[in-house]
Amino acid sequence: MLSYTYDASQLTIQESQNGDDIEFRIHVLGGDAVDGQIKGVQHDFENNHVLTDVLFYAYKNHDYQFIVRPDFYDDFLLSLMKHRLLTGLTWT
């Protein structure tokens, strides 16, 4: 299993089970630059060949929801890392 860390001054991440899927609620504290990084994660999954891997919802006040299929959990965390939203990613 993967464990991750992030800069709490830039965003908050809440992870929970949503049926068979994993739900991530991300609230951006760091402004428009961090919003752009979130959009990069969205772009990664909207432009691949699987339609139901990660569902993305944007809300007011820099709130985002990602619903991730379990078989794409690692890919999602790697995308967060790639877009510098995570500060650390380790196997546990």
Side-chain angles (χ1 to χ4, degrees):
M1 183 166 165
L2 287 170
S3 298
Y4 56 88
T5 56
Y6 59 90
D7 183 353
S9 70
Q10 295 294 310
L11 54 98
T12 61
I13 299 175
Q14 296 176 330
E15 179 181 343
S16 62
Q17 199 67 33
N18 182 344
D20 291 334
D21 299 324
I22 300 102
E23 177 178 324
F24 287 85
R25 291 280 187 162
I26 299 175
H27 178 71
V28 172
L29 304 166
D32 293 339
V34 180
D35 283 322
Q37 292 166 283
I38 293 281
K39 300 287 185 185
V41 174
Q42 175 189 6
H43 183 266
D44 286 350
F45 292 99
E46 283 186 346
N47 293 306
N48 68 10
H49 66 284
V50 182
L51 297 177
T52 59
D53 52 358
V54 175
L55 302 176
F56 171 82
Y57 301 94
Y59 300 100
K60 292 188 224 177
N61 300 322
H62 308 280
D63 286 320
Y64 301 92
Q65 177 186 21
F66 291 91
I67 300 175
V68 181
R69 275 186 10 198
D71 52 332
F72 283 91
Y73 181 82
D74 296 348
D75 294 334
F76 179 72
L77 291 180
L78 289 170
S79 181
L80 291 176
M81 187 71 170
K82 175 177 117 179
H83 291 284
R84 301 184 184 272
L85 292 162
L86 299 180
T87 56
L89 193 58
T90 58
W91 290 104
T92 57

